[in-house]
Amino acid sequence: MLGFLFNERECRELDYVLKKEMDEMLFDLNDKRIDPDIKGAIESRYRVIFRMYARLASPKEISKYARNRMHH
């Protein structure tokens, strides 16, 4: 476990970067042309990024990026 201290501007930047990354992964997960094995790897990475984002964001913001576990 690592700990980081961020100032307000750094938190906003991290929030932005994580949201952009999740947006890109959601786009790829909805692309029918991408191989299911690749989608599995993207899904795994999405869960990690989402957990990071959940530490910074409000519940309302988190709900925008929450994925249904059955939605593979």
Side-chain angles (χ1 to χ4, degrees):
M1 177 66 101
L2 294 175
F4 291 96
L5 292 176
F6 294 113
N7 65 33
E8 184 64 30
R9 184 172 182 208
E10 292 166 336
C11 283
R12 284 193 313 267
E13 185 64 29
L14 183 59
D15 179 77
Y16 173 79
V17 169
L18 294 174
K19 283 196 297 189
K20 292 301 277 182
E21 189 65 25
M22 287 189 299
D23 287 337
E24 297 255 343
M25 287 187 278
L26 288 172
F27 180 79
D28 289 342
L29 287 169
N30 289 319
D31 189 340
K32 305 265 188 265
R33 299 171 296 170
I34 295 180
D35 184 79
D37 291 335
I38 301 299
K39 283 187 179 185
I42 294 169
E43 182 70 43
S44 177
R45 186 164 183 264
Y46 186 88
R47 285 191 297 268
V48 171
I49 301 296
F50 178 80
R51 284 193 309 265
M52 291 170 63
Y53 178 67
R55 295 176 187 199
L56 302 171
S58 70
K60 183 179 178 181
E61 288 294 313
I62 293 168
S63 69
K64 293 177 184 178
Y65 288 96
R67 287 181 47 82
N68 183 346
R69 287 201 182 270
M70 299 302 288
H71 189 263
H72 291 296

Coordinates of all heavy atoms in Angstrom, one line a residue:
M1 N 0.8 -1.2 0.0 CA 0.0 0.0 0.0 C 0.9 1.2 0.0 O 1.8 1.3 0.8 CB -0.9 0.0 1.2 CG -1.8 1.1 1.4 SD -3.0 1.3 0.1 CE -4.4 0.6 1.0
L2 N 0.6 2.1 -0.9 CA 1.3 3.4 -1.0 C 0.4 4.5 -0.6 O -0.8 4.4 -0.9 CB 1.9 3.6 -2.4 CG 2.9 2.7 -2.9 CD1 3.3 3.0 -4.4 CD2 4.2 2.8 -2.1
G3 N 0.9 5.6 -0.1 CA 0.1 6.8 0.2 C 0.7 8.0 -0.6 O 1.9 8.1 -0.8
F4 N -0.2 8.8 -1.0 CA 0.2 10.0 -1.7 C -0.6 11.2 -1.2 O -1.8 11.1 -0.8 CB -0.2 10.0 -3.2 CG 0.6 9.0 -4.0 CD1 0.2 7.7 -4.2 CD2 1.9 9.3 -4.5 CE1 0.9 6.8 -4.9 CE2 2.6 8.4 -5.2 CZ 2.1 7.2 -5.5
L5 N 0.0 12.4 -1.1 CA -0.6 13.6 -0.8 C -0.7 14.5 -2.0 O 0.3 14.7 -2.6 CB 0.1 14.3 0.3 CG 0.2 13.7 1.7 CD1 1.1 14.5 2.7 CD2 -1.2 13.6 2.3
F6 N -1.9 14.9 -2.4 CA -2.1 15.7 -3.5 C -2.7 17.0 -3.1 O -3.6 17.0 -2.2 CB -3.1 15.1 -4.6 CG -2.5 13.8 -5.2 CD1 -3.1 12.6 -4.9 CD2 -1.5 13.9 -6.1 CE1 -2.6 11.4 -5.5 CE2 -1.0 12.7 -6.7 CZ -1.5 11.5 -6.4
N7 N -2.3 18.1 -3.8 CA -3.0 19.4 -3.5 C -4.3 19.4 -4.4 O -4.6 18.4 -5.1 CB -2.1 20.6 -3.8 CG -1.7 20.7 -5.2 OD1 -2.5 20.4 -6.1 ND2 -0.5 21.2 -5.5
E8 N -5.1 20.4 -4.2 CA -6.4 20.4 -4.9 C -6.3 20.4 -6.4 O -7.0 19.7 -7.1 CB -7.2 21.7 -4.5 CG -8.6 21.8 -5.0 CD -9.5 20.7 -4.5 OE1 -9.4 20.3 -3.4 OE2 -10.4 20.3 -5.3
R9 N -5.4 21.1 -6.9 CA -5.2 21.1 -8.4 C -4.7 19.7 -8.9 O -5.2 19.2 -9.9 CB -4.1 22.1 -8.8 CG -4.0 22.2 -10.3 CD -3.1 23.4 -10.7 NE -3.0 23.4 -12.1 CZ -2.0 23.9 -12.8 NH1 -1.0 24.4 -12.1 NH2 -2.0 23.9 -14.1
E10 N -3.9 19.1 -8.2 CA -3.4 17.7 -8.6 C -4.6 16.7 -8.5 O -4.7 15.8 -9.3 CB -2.3 17.3 -7.7 CG -1.0 18.1 -7.9 CD 0.0 17.9 -6.8 OE1 -0.3 17.5 -5.7 OE2 1.2 18.1 -7.1
C11 N -5.5 16.9 -7.5 CA -6.6 16.0 -7.4 C -7.6 16.2 -8.6 O -8.1 15.2 -9.1 CB -7.4 16.3 -6.1 SG -6.6 15.5 -4.7
R12 N -7.8 17.4 -9.0 CA -8.6 17.7 -10.2 C -8.0 17.1 -11.4 O -8.7 16.5 -12.3 CB -8.8 19.2 -10.4 CG -9.8 19.8 -9.4 CD -10.3 21.2 -9.8 NE -9.2 22.1 -10.1 CZ -8.5 22.9 -9.3 NH1 -8.8 23.0 -8.0 NH2 -7.5 23.7 -9.8
E13 N -6.7 17.2 -11.6 CA -6.0 16.6 -12.7 C -6.1 15.1 -12.7 O -6.4 14.5 -13.8 CB -4.5 17.1 -12.8 CG -3.8 16.7 -14.0 CD -4.3 17.3 -15.3 OE1 -4.9 18.4 -15.2 OE2 -4.1 16.6 -16.3
L14 N -5.9 14.5 -11.6 CA -6.0 13.1 -11.5 C -7.4 12.6 -11.8 O -7.6 11.6 -12.5 CB -5.6 12.6 -10.1 CG -5.6 11.1 -9.9 CD1 -4.7 10.4 -10.9 CD2 -5.2 10.7 -8.5
D15 N -8.4 13.3 -11.3 CA -9.8 13.1 -11.6 C -10.0 13.1 -13.1 O -10.6 12.2 -13.7 CB -10.7 14.1 -10.9 CG -12.2 13.9 -11.2 OD1 -12.8 13.0 -10.6 OD2 -12.7 14.7 -12.0
Y16 N -9.5 14.1 -13.8 CA -9.7 14.3 -15.2 C -9.0 13.1 -16.0 O -9.6 12.5 -16.9 CB -9.1 15.6 -15.7 CG -9.0 15.8 -17.2 CD1 -10.2 16.1 -17.9 CD2 -7.9 15.5 -17.9 CE1 -10.2 16.3 -19.2 CE2 -7.8 15.7 -19.3 CZ -9.0 16.1 -19.9 OH -9.0 16.2 -21.3
V17 N -7.8 12.8 -15.6 CA -7.1 11.7 -16.3 C -7.8 10.4 -16.1 O -7.9 9.6 -17.1 CB -5.6 11.6 -15.8 CG1 -4.9 10.4 -16.2 CG2 -4.8 12.9 -16.1
L18 N -8.2 10.1 -14.9 CA -8.9 8.8 -14.7 C -10.2 8.7 -15.5 O -10.5 7.7 -16.0 CB -9.2 8.6 -13.2 CG -7.9 8.4 -12.3 CD1 -8.3 8.4 -10.8 CD2 -7.1 7.2 -12.7
K19 N -11.0 9.8 -15.5 CA -12.2 9.8 -16.3 C -12.0 9.6 -17.7 O -12.7 8.9 -18.4 CB -13.0 11.1 -16.0 CG -13.7 11.1 -14.7 CD -14.8 12.2 -14.6 CE -14.3 13.6 -14.7 NZ -15.3 14.6 -14.4
K20 N -11.0 10.3 -18.3 CA -10.7 10.1 -19.7 C -10.3 8.7 -20.0 O -10.7 8.1 -21.0 CB -9.5 11.1 -20.1 CG -9.9 12.5 -20.1 CD -11.1 12.9 -21.0 CE -10.6 13.0 -22.4 NZ -11.7 13.4 -23.3
E21 N -9.5 8.1 -19.1 CA -9.1 6.7 -19.3 C -10.3 5.8 -19.3 O -10.4 4.9 -20.1 CB -8.0 6.3 -18.3 CG -7.4 5.0 -18.5 CD -6.5 5.0 -19.8 OE1 -6.1 6.0 -20.3 OE2 -6.4 3.9 -20.4
M22 N -11.2 6.0 -18.3 CA -12.4 5.1 -18.3 C -13.3 5.3 -19.5 O -13.8 4.4 -20.0 CB -13.1 5.4 -16.9 CG -12.4 4.8 -15.7 SD -13.4 4.9 -14.2 CE -13.6 6.7 -14.0
D23 N -13.4 6.6 -19.9 CA -14.2 6.8 -21.1 C -13.6 6.1 -22.3 O -14.4 5.5 -23.1 CB -14.2 8.3 -21.5 CG -15.1 9.1 -20.5 OD1 -16.0 8.5 -19.9 OD2 -14.9 10.4 -20.4
E24 N -12.3 6.1 -22.5 CA -11.7 5.3 -23.6 C -11.9 3.8 -23.5 O -12.3 3.2 -24.5 CB -10.2 5.6 -23.6 CG -9.8 7.0 -23.8 CD -9.3 7.2 -25.2 OE1 -8.9 6.3 -25.9 OE2 -9.3 8.4 -25.7
M25 N -11.8 3.3 -22.3 CA -12.0 1.9 -22.1 C -13.5 1.5 -22.3 O -13.8 0.5 -22.9 CB -11.6 1.5 -20.7 CG -10.1 1.4 -20.5 SD -9.5 0.7 -19.0 CE -9.7 2.2 -17.9
L26 N -14.4 2.3 -21.8 CA -15.8 2.1 -22.1 C -16.2 2.1 -23.6 O -16.9 1.2 -24.1 CB -16.7 3.1 -21.4 CG -16.8 3.0 -19.9 CD1 -17.5 4.2 -19.3 CD2 -17.4 1.7 -19.5
F27 N -15.5 3.0 -24.3 CA -15.7 3.0 -25.8 C -15.2 1.7 -26.4 O -15.9 1.1 -27.2 CB -14.9 4.2 -26.3 CG -15.1 4.3 -27.8 CD1 -16.2 4.8 -28.4 CD2 -14.0 3.9 -28.6 CE1 -16.3 4.9 -29.8 CE2 -14.1 4.0 -30.0 CZ -15.3 4.5 -30.6
D28 N -14.0 1.2 -25.9 CA -13.5 0.0 -26.5 C -14.3 -1.2 -26.1 O -14.5 -2.2 -26.9 CB -12.1 -0.2 -26.0 CG -11.1 0.8 -26.6 OD1 -11.4 1.3 -27.7 OD2 -10.0 0.9 -26.1
L29 N -14.9 -1.2 -24.9 CA -15.7 -2.4 -24.4 C -17.0 -2.5 -25.2 O -17.6 -3.5 -25.3 CB -16.0 -2.2 -22.9 CG -14.8 -2.5 -22.0 CD1 -15.1 -2.1 -20.6 CD2 -14.4 -4.0 -22.1
N30 N -17.5 -1.3 -25.8 CA -18.7 -1.4 -26.6 C -18.4 -1.6 -28.0 O -19.4 -1.7 -28.8 CB -19.4 -0.1 -26.4 CG -20.1 0.0 -25.0 OD1 -20.6 -1.0 -24.5 ND2 -20.0 1.2 -24.4
D31 N -17.2 -1.7 -28.4 CA -16.8 -2.0 -29.8 C -16.9 -3.5 -30.1 O -16.2 -4.3 -29.5 CB -15.4 -1.5 -30.1 CG -15.0 -1.5 -31.5 OD1 -15.6 -2.2 -32.3 OD2 -14.0 -0.8 -31.9
K32 N -17.8 -3.8 -31.0 CA -18.1 -5.2 -31.3 C -16.9 -5.9 -32.1 O -16.8 -7.1 -32.1 CB -19.3 -5.3 -32.2 CG -20.5 -4.7 -31.6 CD -21.4 -5.7 -30.9 CE -22.7 -5.1 -30.4 NZ -22.7 -4.6 -29.1
R33 N -16.0 -5.1 -32.6 CA -14.9 -5.6 -33.4 C -13.7 -6.1 -32.5 O -12.9 -6.8 -33.0 CB -14.3 -4.5 -34.4 CG -15.4 -4.1 -35.4 CD -14.9 -2.9 -36.1 NE -14.7 -1.8 -35.2 CZ -14.1 -0.6 -35.5 NH1 -13.6 -0.4 -36.7 NH2 -14.0 0.3 -34.6
I34 N -13.7 -5.7 -31.3 CA -12.6 -6.1 -30.4 C -12.8 -7.5 -29.9 O -13.9 -7.9 -29.4 CB -12.5 -5.1 -29.2 CG1 -12.1 -3.7 -29.8 CG2 -11.4 -5.5 -28.2 CD1 -11.9 -2.6 -28.8
D35 N -11.7 -8.3 -29.9 CA -11.7 -9.7 -29.5 C -12.2 -9.8 -28.0 O -11.8 -9.0 -27.2 CB -10.3 -10.2 -29.6 CG -10.2 -11.7 -29.3 OD1 -10.6 -12.5 -30.2 OD2 -9.7 -12.0 -28.2
P36 N -13.0 -10.8 -27.7 CA -13.4 -11.0 -26.3 C -12.3 -11.1 -25.3 O -12.4 -10.7 -24.1 CB -14.2 -12.3 -26.3 CG -14.7 -12.4 -27.7 CD -13.6 -11.8 -28.6
D37 N -11.1 -11.7 -25.6 CA -10.0 -11.8 -24.7 C -9.4 -10.5 -24.4 O -9.0 -10.2 -23.3 CB -8.9 -12.7 -25.3 CG -9.3 -14.2 -25.4 OD1 -10.2 -14.6 -24.6 OD2 -8.8 -14.9 -26.2
I38 N -9.4 -9.6 -25.4 CA -8.9 -8.2 -25.2 C -9.8 -7.5 -24.3 O -9.4 -6.7 -23.4 CB -8.7 -7.5 -26.6 CG1 -7.7 -8.3 -27.5 CG2 -8.3 -6.1 -26.3 CD1 -6.3 -8.4 -26.9
K39 N -11.1 -7.7 -24.6 CA -12.1 -7.0 -23.7 C -12.0 -7.4 -22.3 O -12.2 -6.6 -21.4 CB -13.6 -7.3 -24.3 CG -13.9 -6.5 -25.5 CD -15.3 -6.7 -25.9 CE -15.7 -5.8 -27.1 NZ -17.1 -5.9 -27.4
G40 N -11.7 -8.7 -22.0 CA -11.5 -9.2 -20.7 C -10.4 -8.4 -20.0 O -10.5 -8.1 -18.8
A41 N -9.3 -8.2 -20.7 CA -8.1 -7.5 -20.2 C -8.5 -6.0 -19.9 O -8.1 -5.5 -18.9 CB -6.9 -7.6 -21.1
I42 N -9.3 -5.4 -20.8 CA -9.7 -4.1 -20.6 C -10.6 -4.0 -19.4 O -10.5 -3.0 -18.6 CB -10.4 -3.5 -21.9 CG1 -9.5 -3.4 -23.1 CG2 -11.1 -2.2 -21.6 CD1 -10.1 -3.2 -24.4
E43 N -11.5 -4.9 -19.3 CA -12.5 -5.0 -18.1 C -11.7 -5.0 -16.8 O -12.0 -4.4 -15.8 CB -13.4 -6.1 -18.3 CG -14.4 -6.2 -17.2 CD -15.5 -5.1 -17.2 OE1 -16.0 -4.9 -18.4 OE2 -15.8 -4.6 -16.2
S44 N -10.7 -5.9 -16.8 CA -9.8 -6.0 -15.6 C -9.2 -4.7 -15.2 O -9.1 -4.3 -14.1 CB -8.8 -7.1 -15.8 OG -8.0 -7.2 -14.7
R45 N -8.6 -4.0 -16.2 CA -8.0 -2.8 -16.0 C -9.0 -1.7 -15.6 O -8.7 -0.8 -14.8 CB -7.2 -2.3 -17.3 CG -6.4 -1.1 -17.1 CD -5.4 -1.0 -18.2 NE -4.6 0.2 -18.0 CZ -4.8 1.4 -18.6 NH1 -5.8 1.6 -19.4 NH2 -4.0 2.4 -18.3
Y46 N -10.2 -1.7 -16.2 CA -11.2 -0.8 -15.9 C -11.5 -0.8 -14.4 O -11.7 0.2 -13.7 CB -12.5 -1.0 -16.7 CG -13.5 0.0 -16.5 CD1 -13.5 1.1 -17.3 CD2 -14.5 -0.1 -15.5 CE1 -14.5 2.1 -17.1 CE2 -15.4 0.8 -15.3 CZ -15.4 2.0 -16.1 OH -16.4 3.0 -15.9
R47 N -11.6 -2.1 -13.8 CA -11.9 -2.2 -12.4 C -10.9 -1.5 -11.5 O -11.2 -0.9 -10.5 CB -12.1 -3.7 -12.1 CG -13.4 -4.3 -12.6 CD -13.7 -5.6 -12.0 NE -12.7 -6.7 -12.4 CZ -12.8 -7.4 -13.4 NH1 -13.8 -7.3 -14.2 NH2 -11.8 -8.3 -13.7
V48 N -9.6 -1.7 -11.9 CA -8.5 -1.0 -11.1 C -8.7 0.5 -11.2 O -8.6 1.2 -10.2 CB -7.2 -1.5 -11.6 CG1 -6.0 -0.7 -11.0 CG2 -7.0 -3.0 -11.4
I49 N -8.8 1.0 -12.4 CA -8.9 2.5 -12.6 C -10.2 3.0 -11.9 O -10.1 4.1 -11.2 CB -9.0 2.8 -14.1 CG1 -7.7 2.3 -14.8 CG2 -9.1 4.3 -14.3 CD1 -6.4 2.9 -14.4
F50 N -11.3 2.3 -12.0 CA -12.5 2.7 -11.3 C -12.3 2.8 -9.8 O -12.8 3.7 -9.1 CB -13.6 1.7 -11.6 CG -14.9 2.1 -10.9 CD1 -15.7 3.1 -11.4 CD2 -15.3 1.4 -9.8 CE1 -16.9 3.5 -10.8 CE2 -16.5 1.7 -9.2 CZ -17.3 2.8 -9.7
R51 N -11.6 1.8 -9.2 CA -11.4 1.8 -7.7 C -10.6 3.1 -7.4 O -10.8 3.7 -6.3 CB -10.8 0.5 -7.3 CG -11.7 -0.6 -7.2 CD -11.2 -1.8 -6.4 NE -9.9 -2.3 -6.9 CZ -9.7 -3.3 -7.7 NH1 -10.7 -3.9 -8.3 NH2 -8.5 -3.6 -8.1
M52 N -9.6 3.4 -8.2 CA -8.8 4.6 -8.0 C -9.7 5.9 -8.0 O -9.6 6.7 -7.1 CB -7.7 4.7 -9.0 CG -6.6 3.6 -8.8 SD -5.5 3.6 -10.2 CE -4.7 5.2 -10.1
Y53 N -10.5 5.9 -9.0 CA -11.4 7.0 -9.2 C -12.4 7.2 -8.1 O -12.7 8.3 -7.6 CB -12.2 6.9 -10.6 CG -13.1 8.0 -10.8 CD1 -12.7 9.3 -11.1 CD2 -14.5 7.7 -10.9 CE1 -13.6 10.3 -11.4 CE2 -15.4 8.7 -11.1 CZ -15.0 10.0 -11.4 OH -15.9 11.0 -11.6
A54 N -12.9 6.0 -7.6 CA -13.9 6.1 -6.5 C -13.3 6.7 -5.2 O -14.1 7.1 -4.4 CB -14.3 4.6 -6.2
R55 N -12.0 6.7 -5.1 CA -11.4 7.4 -3.9 C -11.5 8.9 -4.0 O -11.3 9.6 -3.0 CB -10.0 6.9 -3.7 CG -9.9 5.4 -3.4 CD -8.5 5.0 -3.3 NE -8.5 3.5 -3.2 CZ -7.5 2.9 -2.8 NH1 -6.4 3.5 -2.4 NH2 -7.5 1.5 -2.7
L56 N -11.7 9.4 -5.2 CA -11.6 10.9 -5.4 C -13.0 11.5 -5.6 O -13.2 12.6 -5.3 CB -10.8 11.2 -6.6 CG -9.3 10.8 -6.6 CD1 -8.7 11.0 -7.9 CD2 -8.6 11.6 -5.5
A57 N -13.9 10.7 -6.2 CA -15.1 11.3 -6.7 C -16.3 11.2 -5.8 O -16.3 10.4 -4.8 CB -15.5 10.6 -8.0
S58 N -17.3 12.0 -6.0 CA -18.5 12.0 -5.3 C -19.3 10.7 -5.7 O -19.1 10.2 -6.8 CB -19.3 13.2 -5.5 OG -19.9 13.2 -6.8
P59 N -20.2 10.3 -4.8 CA -21.1 9.1 -5.2 C -21.8 9.4 -6.5 O -22.0 8.4 -7.3 CB -22.0 9.0 -4.0 CG -21.3 9.5 -2.9 CD -20.5 10.7 -3.4
K60 N -22.3 10.6 -6.8 CA -23.0 10.9 -8.0 C -22.1 10.7 -9.2 O -22.5 10.1 -10.2 CB -23.5 12.3 -8.0 CG -24.3 12.7 -9.2 CD -24.8 14.1 -9.1 CE -25.6 14.5 -10.3 NZ -26.0 15.9 -10.3
E61 N -20.9 11.1 -9.1 CA -19.9 10.9 -10.2 C -19.5 9.5 -10.4 O -19.4 9.0 -11.5 CB -18.6 11.8 -10.0 CG -18.9 13.3 -10.2 CD -19.2 13.6 -11.6 OE1 -18.5 13.2 -12.5 OE2 -20.1 14.4 -11.8
I62 N -19.3 8.8 -9.3 CA -19.0 7.4 -9.3 C -20.1 6.6 -10.0 O -19.8 5.7 -10.9 CB -18.8 6.8 -7.9 CG1 -17.5 7.5 -7.3 CG2 -18.6 5.3 -7.9 CD1 -17.4 7.2 -5.8
S63 N -21.3 6.9 -9.8 CA -22.4 6.1 -10.4 C -22.4 6.3 -11.9 O -22.9 5.4 -12.6 CB -23.8 6.6 -9.8 OG -24.1 7.9 -10.2
K64 N -21.9 7.3 -12.5 CA -21.8 7.5 -13.9 C -20.9 6.5 -14.6 O -21.0 6.1 -15.7 CB -21.3 8.9 -14.3 CG -22.2 10.0 -13.9 CD -21.6 11.3 -14.3 CE -22.5 12.5 -13.8 NZ -21.9 13.8 -14.1
Y65 N -19.9 6.0 -13.8 CA -18.9 5.1 -14.3 C -19.0 3.6 -13.8 O -18.3 2.8 -14.2 CB -17.5 5.6 -14.1 CG -17.2 6.8 -14.9 CD1 -17.3 8.1 -14.4 CD2 -16.7 6.6 -16.2 CE1 -17.0 9.2 -15.2 CE2 -16.4 7.7 -17.0 CZ -16.6 9.0 -16.5 OH -16.3 10.1 -17.2
A66 N -20.0 3.4 -12.9 CA -20.2 2.1 -12.3 C -20.7 1.2 -13.4 O -21.6 1.5 -14.2 CB -21.1 2.1 -11.2
R67 N -20.1 0.0 -13.5 CA -20.6 -1.0 -14.5 C -21.3 -2.2 -13.8 O -20.9 -2.6 -12.8 CB -19.4 -1.6 -15.3 CG -18.8 -0.5 -16.3 CD -17.6 -1.0 -17.1 NE -17.7 -2.3 -17.7 CZ -18.4 -2.6 -18.8 NH1 -18.9 -1.6 -19.5 NH2 -18.4 -3.8 -19.3
N68 N -22.3 -2.7 -14.5 CA -23.0 -3.8 -14.0 C -22.1 -5.0 -14.1 O -21.5 -5.3 -15.2 CB -24.3 -4.0 -14.8 CG -25.1 -5.2 -14.3 OD1 -24.7 -6.0 -13.6 ND2 -26.3 -5.2 -14.8
R69 N -21.9 -5.8 -13.0 CA -21.0 -7.0 -13.1 C -21.4 -8.0 -14.1 O -20.6 -8.7 -14.6 CB -21.0 -7.6 -11.7 CG -20.2 -6.8 -10.7 CD -19.7 -7.8 -9.6 NE -19.0 -7.0 -8.6 CZ -17.7 -6.9 -8.6 NH1 -17.0 -7.3 -9.5 NH2 -17.1 -6.2 -7.6
M70 N -22.7 -8.0 -14.4 CA -23.2 -9.0 -15.4 C -22.9 -8.5 -16.9 O -23.2 -9.1 -17.8 CB -24.7 -9.2 -15.2 CG -25.0 -9.8 -13.9 SD -24.2 -11.3 -13.6 CE -25.1 -12.4 -14.7
H71 N -22.4 -7.3 -17.0 CA -22.3 -6.6 -18.3 C -20.9 -6.9 -18.9 O -20.1 -6.1 -19.1 CB -22.5 -5.1 -18.1 CG -22.5 -4.4 -19.4 ND1 -21.4 -3.7 -19.9 CD2 -23.5 -4.2 -20.3 CE1 -21.8 -3.1 -21.1 NE2 -23.0 -3.4 -21.3
H72 N -20.6 -8.2 -19.1 CA -19.3 -8.5 -19.7 C -19.3 -8.6 -21.2 O -20.0 -9.3 -21.8 CB -18.7 -9.8 -19.1 CG -18.4 -9.7 -17.6 ND1 -17.4 -8.9 -17.2 CD2 -18.9 -10.3 -16.5 CE1 -17.3 -9.0 -15.9 NE2 -18.3 -9.8 -15.5

